[in-house]
Amino acid sequence: MKYWLLKSEPSTYSWEDLIKNEKGIDSWDGVRNYQARNFLKEMAIGDMAFFYHSGIKIPGIVGIVKIVREAYPDPLQWDVDSSYYDSKSSREHPRWVAVDVQAMGAISPPITLPELREIPQLASMQLLKKGNRLSVLPVTPEEWEIIFKLRSTKLEV
DNA sequence: GCCAACGTTGGC
DNA sequence: GCCAACGTTGGC
């Protein structure tokens, strides 16, 4: 099993938007970066991911999700009305993929970016590296363990 | 609102 | 295939 971190600006898509869905399941679509896409393709059912809110005053991890469907073509790439439309992506050779995630538990209070930066063992974490802009990032089991233990989060089964 | 970092585009 | 110009992301 692998671990990941999924970034989203809450004004675009938030944790609250996710848990509004039946069973807390929704598609993670709209990823338009090749490196991030390749990480989506690596995901397997049962993998876990942190849900991270970016682009706000105090960014941070707000929840935990499970991957419940592996990579499939992102329908938005063919939707001319979507801002995620890609005219260069054909049906025969889809360029972008989505996965489905399920909310497993909110992290309360959120684990903020400043809080993560204070932890020496996390110094080499991808998320904390300068210039990192990827919206999908791998997390090592060690990093996952350290971060998960910061709160007494109960996960649903 | 600024700016560093990085990805993408397009001319050559 | 190189690289300058431009666009986007995201922390501060």
Side-chain angles (χ1 to χ4, degrees):
Chain A
M1 175 167 80
K2 290 182 179 170
Y3 299 97
W4 309 93
L5 183 138
L6 297 170
K7 234 187 251 179
S8 180
E9 293 192 28
S11 58
T12 304
Y13 188 87
S14 68
W15 175 260
E16 288 70 30
D17 293 325
L18 172 62
I19 59 177
K20 268 184 224 158
N21 293 277
E22 193 183 345
K23 296 182 183 172
I25 295 177
D26 203 359
S27 57
W28 198 269
D29 49 27
V31 171
R32 295 293 179 269
N33 170 285
Y34 289 104
Q35 256 184 291
R37 179 206 64 183
N38 293 342
F39 286 136
L40 287 180
K41 286 184 173 180
E42 281 183 40
M43 292 181 179
I45 289 174
D47 282 5
M48 304 290 279
F50 290 125
F51 192 124
Y52 179 92
H53 278 172
S54 66
I56 50 175
K57 206 162 193 175
I58 307 175
I61 296 169
V62 295
I64 290 177
V65 299
K66 183 163 78 177
I67 308 305
V68 293
R69 183 180 172 192
E70 293 176 13
Y72 59 93
D74 180 351
L76 296 180
Q77 66 196 307
W78 299 307
D79 179 354
V80 290
D81 295 326
S82 169
S83 54
Y84 298 115
Y85 175 68
D86 183 351
S87 61
K88 293 176 198 153
S89 181
S90 68
R91 296 269 172 185
E92 296 74 30
H93 301 284
R95 182 178 287 191
W96 307 109
V97 300
V99 298
D100 285 358
V101 300
Q102 179 172 29
M104 298 304 289
I107 293 190
S108 181
I111 300 171
T112 67
L113 184 59
E115 186 176 354
L116 292 171
R117 289 202 191 281
E118 279 174 16
I119 302 169
Q121 299 100 300
L122 297 180
S124 59
M125 196 180 173
Q126 292 248 31
L127 176 73
L128 305 182
K129 285 196 179 144
K130 202 175 177 184
N132 146 63
R133 298 184 309 154
L134 281 186
S135 62
V136 183
L137 290 169
V139 172
T140 70
E142 294 76 20
E143 291 160 354
W144 180 276
E145 186 77 3
I146 292 167
I147 296 167
F148 185 73
K149 280 181 176 170
L150 294 173
R151 302 282 187 278
S152 50
T153 304
K154 299 271 193 300
L155 296 186
E156 303 166 30
V157 185

